[in-house]
Amino acid sequence: MQIELIIIGNEILSGDTRDTNGSWLSKYLENLGTQLDQISIIPDQRKCILSTLSQATHRSHLIIISGGLGPTDDDITKKTLADFFQKDLKINKAAQEMVISHYKRINRPWIPQHNHYHIIPEDFEPLPNPVGLAPGLFFQADSFVIVAAPGVPLEFQSMIKEAITPKNLIDIHPMHQLQIRTKNIAEELIFNEVSVDLFKKIRPFAEICSYPRSYGGVDLVIKSKQDIEELKEDFLNSPLRPYIWHIGNLSLPELIIQMATEKKIKLGLAESCTGGLISSMLTDVSGSSACYMGSIVAYSYEIKMEILKVKKETLDRYGAVSKETALEMAQGAFNQLKVDIAIGTTGIAGPLGGTHEKPVGTIGIGLCTKNFSKSDLFIFRGDRLGLKKRFSHAALHELLEVIKTI
Amino acid sequence: MQIELIIIGNEILSGDTRDTNGSWLSKYLENLGTQLDQISIIPDQRKCILSTLSQATHRSHLIIISGGLGPTDDDITKKTLADFFQKDLKINKAAQEMVISHYKRINRPWIPQHNHYHIIPEDFEPLPNPVGLAPGLFFQADSFVIVAAPGVPLEFQSMIKEAITPKNLIDIHPMHQLQIRTKNIAEELIFNEVSVDLFKKIRPFAEICSYPRSYGGVDLVIKSKQDIEELKEDFLNSPLRPYIWHIGNLSLPELIIQMATEKKIKLGLAESCTGGLISSMLTDVSGSSACYMGSIVAYSYEIKMEILKVKKETLDRYGAVSKETALEMAQGAFNQLKVDIAIGTTGIAGPLGGTHEKPVGTIGIGLCTKNFSKSDLFIFRGDRLGLKKRFSHAALHELLEVIKTI
């Protein structure tokens, strides 16, 4: 079964809005045991929509369209679908009922002059929109099905969840998957030196993919139609072991929150250059409040000194970006937040602020527990947002190593 | 000139990695005065790459390919390009020199058994990779040009910046653009009621697009080949004015940092449910340290009480998620961080923790300055990450309103 997604919208193509529906849909379909085979992102232009529909209807069995169902002039998906299939646009009673009840829900009267939500191509069915106003569209032809949903992520996701369920999907072959997450080793070394023998064994029955630089390292994903859980042991007994930080599909923050919660370890942060990003990554994890206490984002010297109690001499002598300051920040967080492990970060995310000795990309990461403390200086490359991410990943890896030993 | 991007990679399609090259390239080309017309995301599969290349070479003048140039077995872009154009893969001297010097830079010897970076399709030219190992590819045919770059964002972006410059791009028509950013008004009301007359005036010479829900509101973008700066006044004199928070292309955090810096206002935060996200958004802005001092991320009760000095009675009587607690958090940040304006956020991002009176999506936002303080309870809808974003946008809008009045 070939499934494709067509994303219609100038805003995505112009980079004004980042698409999130594509990756969400991929994961959703994967959980249903199938997969997304292609994504096309095209503008709100009749000609382009028509030519993409023509290709899609020839190659795919399920075609999901997002965007262009809104009430305004640039929303031309509905009109173009009608033209493509040579259908008239007509008032649809079921769609009209949906619209009226949506408007009731938000306490506004609906009159047909407001929009054309109730008018859809003949022979199309309206799909209920659980969280928004525009109904979706469903059309079944001999060799394919079309589902069109609004592009707004919450609406798209809610509608797809209702419209595409295991019952609706034929021909499902769940794939077994094993994810090996590494750090500190180059992709080519894994493939051409360290894991050659293991891969030779695996290849006949499984697909091996690699995704570089997730959380600062390389992820390997092994996919197979047969059960491959036993390969976990093979990897842990292989020369790759020292580089593996996780086998499974948890993200770095999820793994940290899970382990810290199990071990009843309280975590806290003192962030300067990461500016709250580490804290935000940890609190993205549902249930993080069980072990994560908080962060002092000390962007100013004053907060470093007054709240984190970093000594003025330390700042004067070694600078704000130094192992010494990072360590005192971690100690400050440890004491002030009353946690079991605290991390301190201080660095230069750029583009300004670098010097010859401490270029943009330099970060000091300090770590403090009841029994020991450590601090190191690292240098990374990247732009401001890339560096904030790398800084945060590096600090979280330091944190994970310590949690593992406790 | 039709430009398209083909992203090759199972990891993007499977949702394991989010694509960032697409939106980056869109913005980059827009700054060069041209635009990206289509994006296709396809798997590392020979058949699919061949059919996409066949379509692309018939419709586009510049075809940019990202991904699949790595050293491993699933990187088949080079081989497939060679097959498509019926070229042999051959050792390329210039490519080999690039590879050798890259390896020198990272202090590792290079031997041809390591990888095939130096072997490229005949008649293709290698493109220097300023930050990584794999050279890119350049091929010029009669009616189109192909540029293939690695998918790793830093490498892709660096290579594109070198390979695609204004000099290389013919047929450039810079578009004038005006961005009107609104909040608290529905898209359809703008188009069908509030701005009907103004849009009637604008339509003959400009394109009007709308992008819903950026920073919690609707953005209008007016694009035209003629100068449209004067339309700014028209919008400010129109009934839309009360809903406009910015005319221009600054993000909400950028606008706040710019205005606070100009007005010499120091900003600080006390975050609970937003978990450091507001702080991270503000520190994404280069130069934010001029006005942004820091945040106390008080995820635990203890930090709320001990560092922010929220009263135990307030927590007991009104709960952690309340106007009262939000206000005391803001006051705590104001006093502890010694700032001119402080914001406090406390809410329920879910999926657990909601009650009948305070469902998931409830947030208290407090605000404190020397002269006044205020606090309100809001309710939003969404999943955990969506709510963290909406909470943060709402708090930043509150902050912006106050900064504007100072």
Side-chain angles (χ1 to χ4, degrees), chain B residues 384-404:
Chain B
R384 185 175 178 86
L385 300 195
L387 282 171
K388 273 184 71 180
K389 253 196 213 165
R390 282 172 189 219
F391 288 168
S392 301
H393 296 162
L396 289 171
H397 275 304
E398 294 283 303
L399 179 57
L400 178 63
E401 288 311 304
V402 176
I403 295 175
K404 280 184 175 173

PDB file of all heavy atoms in Angstrom, chain B residues 384-404:
ATOM      1  N   ARG B 384       0.648  18.582  25.159  1.00  0.00           N
ATOM      2  CA  ARG B 384       1.636  19.148  26.071  1.00  0.00           C
ATOM      3  C   ARG B 384       2.566  20.174  25.393  1.00  0.00           C
ATOM      4  O   ARG B 384       2.712  21.295  25.856  1.00  0.00           O
ATOM      5  CB  ARG B 384       2.464  18.006  26.683  1.00  0.00           C
ATOM      6  CG  ARG B 384       3.450  18.467  27.742  1.00  0.00           C
ATOM      7  CD  ARG B 384       4.158  17.284  28.391  1.00  0.00           C
ATOM      8  NE  ARG B 384       5.117  17.766  29.359  1.00  0.00           N
ATOM      9  CZ  ARG B 384       4.816  18.048  30.634  1.00  0.00           C
ATOM     10  NH1 ARG B 384       3.589  17.901  31.068  1.00  0.00           N
ATOM     11  NH2 ARG B 384       5.752  18.494  31.457  1.00  0.00           N
ATOM     12  N   LEU B 385       3.175  19.775  24.271  1.00  0.00           N
ATOM     13  CA  LEU B 385       4.121  20.693  23.629  1.00  0.00           C
ATOM     14  C   LEU B 385       3.409  21.892  23.010  1.00  0.00           C
ATOM     15  O   LEU B 385       3.905  23.021  23.055  1.00  0.00           O
ATOM     16  CB  LEU B 385       4.953  19.955  22.573  1.00  0.00           C
ATOM     17  CG  LEU B 385       5.793  18.786  23.091  1.00  0.00           C
ATOM     18  CD1 LEU B 385       6.838  18.386  22.067  1.00  0.00           C
ATOM     19  CD2 LEU B 385       6.481  19.126  24.398  1.00  0.00           C
ATOM     20  N   GLY B 386       2.220  21.633  22.441  1.00  0.00           N
ATOM     21  CA  GLY B 386       1.433  22.729  21.883  1.00  0.00           C
ATOM     22  C   GLY B 386       1.044  23.721  22.972  1.00  0.00           C
ATOM     23  O   GLY B 386       1.112  24.941  22.776  1.00  0.00           O
ATOM     24  N   LEU B 387       0.672  23.213  24.125  1.00  0.00           N
ATOM     25  CA  LEU B 387       0.266  24.104  25.219  1.00  0.00           C
ATOM     26  C   LEU B 387       1.453  24.900  25.753  1.00  0.00           C
ATOM     27  O   LEU B 387       1.331  26.092  26.034  1.00  0.00           O
ATOM     28  CB  LEU B 387      -0.399  23.296  26.347  1.00  0.00           C
ATOM     29  CG  LEU B 387      -1.851  22.902  26.061  1.00  0.00           C
ATOM     30  CD1 LEU B 387      -2.363  21.927  27.106  1.00  0.00           C
ATOM     31  CD2 LEU B 387      -2.750  24.143  26.010  1.00  0.00           C
ATOM     32  N   LYS B 388       2.627  24.248  25.875  1.00  0.00           N
ATOM     33  CA  LYS B 388       3.799  24.999  26.337  1.00  0.00           C
ATOM     34  C   LYS B 388       4.034  26.199  25.418  1.00  0.00           C
ATOM     35  O   LYS B 388       4.343  27.296  25.868  1.00  0.00           O
ATOM     36  CB  LYS B 388       5.048  24.095  26.370  1.00  0.00           C
ATOM     37  CG  LYS B 388       5.220  23.322  27.667  1.00  0.00           C
ATOM     38  CD  LYS B 388       6.515  22.507  27.688  1.00  0.00           C
ATOM     39  CE  LYS B 388       7.765  23.350  27.802  1.00  0.00           C
ATOM     40  NZ  LYS B 388       9.000  22.529  27.823  1.00  0.00           N
ATOM     41  N   LYS B 389       3.882  25.966  24.105  1.00  0.00           N
ATOM     42  CA  LYS B 389       4.060  27.051  23.135  1.00  0.00           C
ATOM     43  C   LYS B 389       2.994  28.127  23.317  1.00  0.00           C
ATOM     44  O   LYS B 389       3.296  29.318  23.363  1.00  0.00           O
ATOM     45  CB  LYS B 389       3.934  26.480  21.723  1.00  0.00           C
ATOM     46  CG  LYS B 389       5.239  26.384  20.988  1.00  0.00           C
ATOM     47  CD  LYS B 389       4.953  26.189  19.503  1.00  0.00           C
ATOM     48  CE  LYS B 389       6.020  25.327  18.884  1.00  0.00           C
ATOM     49  NZ  LYS B 389       5.640  24.805  17.574  1.00  0.00           N
ATOM     50  N   ARG B 390       1.721  27.711  23.398  1.00  0.00           N
ATOM     51  CA  ARG B 390       0.647  28.706  23.524  1.00  0.00           C
ATOM     52  C   ARG B 390       0.766  29.490  24.815  1.00  0.00           C
ATOM     53  O   ARG B 390       0.536  30.698  24.851  1.00  0.00           O
ATOM     54  CB  ARG B 390      -0.712  28.024  23.463  1.00  0.00           C
ATOM     55  CG  ARG B 390      -1.063  27.698  22.035  1.00  0.00           C
ATOM     56  CD  ARG B 390      -2.294  26.857  21.930  1.00  0.00           C
ATOM     57  NE  ARG B 390      -2.391  26.438  20.545  1.00  0.00           N
ATOM     58  CZ  ARG B 390      -3.514  26.360  19.860  1.00  0.00           C
ATOM     59  NH1 ARG B 390      -4.649  26.658  20.433  1.00  0.00           N
ATOM     60  NH2 ARG B 390      -3.506  25.991  18.603  1.00  0.00           N
ATOM     61  N   PHE B 391       1.082  28.787  25.888  1.00  0.00           N
ATOM     62  CA  PHE B 391       1.302  29.472  27.172  1.00  0.00           C
ATOM     63  C   PHE B 391       2.388  30.545  26.990  1.00  0.00           C
ATOM     64  O   PHE B 391       2.248  31.682  27.442  1.00  0.00           O
ATOM     65  CB  PHE B 391       1.792  28.469  28.223  1.00  0.00           C
ATOM     66  CG  PHE B 391       0.762  27.492  28.733  1.00  0.00           C
ATOM     67  CD1 PHE B 391       1.153  26.391  29.491  1.00  0.00           C
ATOM     68  CD2 PHE B 391      -0.592  27.666  28.479  1.00  0.00           C
ATOM     69  CE1 PHE B 391       0.217  25.482  29.981  1.00  0.00           C
ATOM     70  CE2 PHE B 391      -1.543  26.758  28.961  1.00  0.00           C
ATOM     71  CZ  PHE B 391      -1.123  25.665  29.719  1.00  0.00           C
ATOM     72  N   SER B 392       3.482  30.148  26.350  1.00  0.00           N
ATOM     73  CA  SER B 392       4.620  31.071  26.197  1.00  0.00           C
ATOM     74  C   SER B 392       4.240  32.259  25.326  1.00  0.00           C
ATOM     75  O   SER B 392       4.579  33.404  25.631  1.00  0.00           O
ATOM     76  CB  SER B 392       5.820  30.331  25.590  1.00  0.00           C
ATOM     77  OG  SER B 392       6.201  29.250  26.426  1.00  0.00           O
ATOM     78  N   HIS B 393       3.518  31.988  24.233  1.00  0.00           N
ATOM     79  CA  HIS B 393       3.093  33.095  23.369  1.00  0.00           C
ATOM     80  C   HIS B 393       2.185  34.055  24.135  1.00  0.00           C
ATOM     81  O   HIS B 393       2.319  35.272  24.020  1.00  0.00           O
ATOM     82  CB  HIS B 393       2.354  32.560  22.141  1.00  0.00           C
ATOM     83  CG  HIS B 393       3.222  31.730  21.244  1.00  0.00           C
ATOM     84  ND1 HIS B 393       2.729  30.861  20.306  1.00  0.00           N
ATOM     85  CD2 HIS B 393       4.573  31.637  21.137  1.00  0.00           C
ATOM     86  CE1 HIS B 393       3.725  30.279  19.671  1.00  0.00           C
ATOM     87  NE2 HIS B 393       4.848  30.726  20.161  1.00  0.00           N
ATOM     88  N   ALA B 394       1.254  33.503  24.908  1.00  0.00           N
ATOM     89  CA  ALA B 394       0.331  34.361  25.659  1.00  0.00           C
ATOM     90  C   ALA B 394       1.099  35.236  26.638  1.00  0.00           C
ATOM     91  O   ALA B 394       0.855  36.443  26.752  1.00  0.00           O
ATOM     92  CB  ALA B 394      -0.694  33.496  26.397  1.00  0.00           C
ATOM     93  N   ALA B 395       2.079  34.639  27.333  1.00  0.00           N
ATOM     94  CA  ALA B 395       2.860  35.415  28.305  1.00  0.00           C
ATOM     95  C   ALA B 395       3.672  36.497  27.595  1.00  0.00           C
ATOM     96  O   ALA B 395       3.769  37.637  28.059  1.00  0.00           O
ATOM     97  CB  ALA B 395       3.771  34.485  29.100  1.00  0.00           C
ATOM     98  N   LEU B 396       4.256  36.151  26.449  1.00  0.00           N
ATOM     99  CA  LEU B 396       5.054  37.135  25.714  1.00  0.00           C
ATOM    100  C   LEU B 396       4.171  38.271  25.182  1.00  0.00           C
ATOM    101  O   LEU B 396       4.593  39.433  25.157  1.00  0.00           O
ATOM    102  CB  LEU B 396       5.825  36.459  24.575  1.00  0.00           C
ATOM    103  CG  LEU B 396       6.988  35.558  25.029  1.00  0.00           C
ATOM    104  CD1 LEU B 396       7.561  34.764  23.852  1.00  0.00           C
ATOM    105  CD2 LEU B 396       8.106  36.379  25.689  1.00  0.00           C
ATOM    106  N   HIS B 397       2.941  37.962  24.772  1.00  0.00           N
ATOM    107  CA  HIS B 397       2.035  39.036  24.337  1.00  0.00           C
ATOM    108  C   HIS B 397       1.699  39.966  25.505  1.00  0.00           C
ATOM    109  O   HIS B 397       1.644  41.183  25.331  1.00  0.00           O
ATOM    110  CB  HIS B 397       0.745  38.442  23.738  1.00  0.00           C
ATOM    111  CG  HIS B 397       0.863  38.095  22.279  1.00  0.00           C
ATOM    112  ND1 HIS B 397       1.233  39.020  21.326  1.00  0.00           N
ATOM    113  CD2 HIS B 397       0.682  36.929  21.615  1.00  0.00           C
ATOM    114  CE1 HIS B 397       1.257  38.437  20.133  1.00  0.00           C
ATOM    115  NE2 HIS B 397       0.943  37.159  20.278  1.00  0.00           N
ATOM    116  N   GLU B 398       1.478  39.394  26.683  1.00  0.00           N
ATOM    117  CA  GLU B 398       1.229  40.232  27.865  1.00  0.00           C
ATOM    118  C   GLU B 398       2.425  41.162  28.102  1.00  0.00           C
ATOM    119  O   GLU B 398       2.276  42.350  28.365  1.00  0.00           O
ATOM    120  CB  GLU B 398       1.036  39.363  29.120  1.00  0.00           C
ATOM    121  CG  GLU B 398      -0.200  38.492  29.096  1.00  0.00           C
ATOM    122  CD  GLU B 398      -1.453  39.288  29.400  1.00  0.00           C
ATOM    123  OE1 GLU B 398      -1.521  39.921  30.464  1.00  0.00           O
ATOM    124  OE2 GLU B 398      -2.369  39.283  28.543  1.00  0.00           O
ATOM    125  N   LEU B 399       3.604  40.555  27.997  1.00  0.00           N
ATOM    126  CA  LEU B 399       4.832  41.325  28.221  1.00  0.00           C
ATOM    127  C   LEU B 399       4.963  42.451  27.205  1.00  0.00           C
ATOM    128  O   LEU B 399       5.248  43.601  27.548  1.00  0.00           O
ATOM    129  CB  LEU B 399       6.025  40.357  28.127  1.00  0.00           C
ATOM    130  CG  LEU B 399       7.427  40.909  28.311  1.00  0.00           C
ATOM    131  CD1 LEU B 399       7.570  41.604  29.655  1.00  0.00           C
ATOM    132  CD2 LEU B 399       8.464  39.777  28.198  1.00  0.00           C
ATOM    133  N   LEU B 400       4.716  42.125  25.924  1.00  0.00           N
ATOM    134  CA  LEU B 400       4.854  43.132  24.867  1.00  0.00           C
ATOM    135  C   LEU B 400       3.928  44.314  25.106  1.00  0.00           C
ATOM    136  O   LEU B 400       4.330  45.475  24.950  1.00  0.00           O
ATOM    137  CB  LEU B 400       4.548  42.490  23.500  1.00  0.00           C
ATOM    138  CG  LEU B 400       4.607  43.437  22.304  1.00  0.00           C
ATOM    139  CD1 LEU B 400       6.018  44.005  22.119  1.00  0.00           C
ATOM    140  CD2 LEU B 400       4.152  42.733  21.026  1.00  0.00           C
ATOM    141  N   GLU B 401       2.663  44.025  25.500  1.00  0.00           N
ATOM    142  CA  GLU B 401       1.713  45.110  25.728  1.00  0.00           C
ATOM    143  C   GLU B 401       2.243  46.079  26.781  1.00  0.00           C
ATOM    144  O   GLU B 401       2.120  47.293  26.642  1.00  0.00           O
ATOM    145  CB  GLU B 401       0.355  44.552  26.175  1.00  0.00           C
ATOM    146  CG  GLU B 401      -0.411  43.868  25.061  1.00  0.00           C
ATOM    147  CD  GLU B 401      -0.469  44.715  23.796  1.00  0.00           C
ATOM    148  OE1 GLU B 401      -0.929  45.863  23.873  1.00  0.00           O
ATOM    149  OE2 GLU B 401      -0.025  44.231  22.724  1.00  0.00           O
ATOM    150  N   VAL B 402       2.831  45.530  27.843  1.00  0.00           N
ATOM    151  CA  VAL B 402       3.338  46.397  28.907  1.00  0.00           C
ATOM    152  C   VAL B 402       4.556  47.187  28.424  1.00  0.00           C
ATOM    153  O   VAL B 402       4.668  48.388  28.677  1.00  0.00           O
ATOM    154  CB  VAL B 402       3.683  45.566  30.158  1.00  0.00           C
ATOM    155  CG1 VAL B 402       4.301  46.449  31.238  1.00  0.00           C
ATOM    156  CG2 VAL B 402       2.432  44.904  30.687  1.00  0.00           C
ATOM    157  N   ILE B 403       5.451  46.506  27.712  1.00  0.00           N
ATOM    158  CA  ILE B 403       6.641  47.215  27.206  1.00  0.00           C
ATOM    159  C   ILE B 403       6.222  48.380  26.317  1.00  0.00           C
ATOM    160  O   ILE B 403       6.794  49.465  26.376  1.00  0.00           O
ATOM    161  CB  ILE B 403       7.557  46.258  26.422  1.00  0.00           C
ATOM    162  CG1 ILE B 403       8.122  45.182  27.348  1.00  0.00           C
ATOM    163  CG2 ILE B 403       8.712  47.026  25.769  1.00  0.00           C
ATOM    164  CD1 ILE B 403       8.950  44.132  26.641  1.00  0.00           C
ATOM    165  N   LYS B 404       5.174  48.159  25.502  1.00  0.00           N
ATOM    166  CA  LYS B 404       4.727  49.220  24.579  1.00  0.00           C
ATOM    167  C   LYS B 404       4.249  50.469  25.319  1.00  0.00           C
ATOM    168  O   LYS B 404       4.367  51.577  24.809  1.00  0.00           O
ATOM    169  CB  LYS B 404       3.586  48.698  23.693  1.00  0.00           C
ATOM    170  CG  LYS B 404       4.069  47.844  22.529  1.00  0.00           C
ATOM    171  CD  LYS B 404       2.904  47.439  21.633  1.00  0.00           C
ATOM    172  CE  LYS B 404       3.395  46.688  20.400  1.00  0.00           C
ATOM    173  NZ  LYS B 404       2.276  46.149  19.596  1.00  0.00           N
TER     174      LYS B 404
END
